[in-house]
Amino acid sequence: MTSTGDGGSVSSPLPLPGALPHPARQPAAEAADASGERVGYRGPTACAAAGITYRQLDYWARTGLVEPSVRPAFGSGTHRLYSFRDVVVLKIVKRLLDTGVSLQNIRTAVRHLRSRGLPDLPQLTLMSDGATVYECSSPDEVVELLQGGQGIFGIAVGVVWRDVEATLSHLHAERVDTGETLVREHPGDELARRRNRAG
């Protein structure tokens, strides 16, 4: 178990990793969809999948809390592109903020999530007592924290991952190499077409 906060009685503080990876050095898998194509998600799509407002997204990008790792904005006319991992992190940040975790601890948790390999993320559970965020990678560690007696809440990263994956499968993406928009069909669209054919 690793603390991703400023320390606590349960575990020692996590050594802060270095600065967030530069967007150009992100692994190709970061921006790959299920078909293996390198894709990114524009701001409105990332907002819809993470359950946040565009104002939050913009503020978090400008303050370096969650920056788009596929493509930052380079002034007017360019669009930020977020990777799948970015959107998962956005959703986790929203949940941590909603439960009252301090921005300082959230920044530490974000750096930690970014330092982990993409395949590791679905196995993680983030636990917090509202002051400190802890990473648990086994059920025993979760139980140990819960036995501490204080109020604890948890975020199963794998559940967030699957939620984001399901939402993004119905939203448009953009191919990184060509800029082509990949139009994904929403289940409601197919239902409407069937109704129209039946009518």
Side-chain angles (χ1 to χ4, degrees), residues 93-157:
V93 167
K94 167 78 160 52
R95 291 194 178 178
L96 290 172
L97 280 172
D98 287 349
T99 50
V101 176
S102 75
L103 198 55
Q104 182 181 354
N105 281 332
I106 290 174
R107 284 186 182 279
T108 306
V110 167
R111 283 194 294 265
H112 186 63
L113 288 169
R114 289 239 184 243
S115 73
R116 299 301 297 259
L118 203 59
D120 297 336
L121 292 183
Q123 281 73 53
L124 300 182
T125 299
L126 296 180
M127 304 289 288
S128 179
D129 54 11
T132 305
V133 180
Y134 303 92
E135 174 203 292
C136 300
S137 53
S138 76
D140 291 343
E141 291 174 344
V142 174
V143 170
E144 183 185 337
L145 265 180
L146 291 174
Q147 288 174 342
Q150 71 263 46
I152 292 279
F153 72 89
I155 299 173
V157 178

Side-chain angles (χ1 to χ4, degrees), residues 30-65:
E30 274 287 302
D33 70 356
S35 69
E37 287 184 299
R38 290 202 66 218
V39 300
Y41 303 95
R42 287 190 179 186
T45 300
C47 289
I52 61 174
T53 66
Y54 194 83
R55 179 176 289 184
Q56 286 175 304
L57 182 83
D58 184 57
Y59 179 72
W60 296 350
R62 285 187 290 108
T63 58
L65 179 60

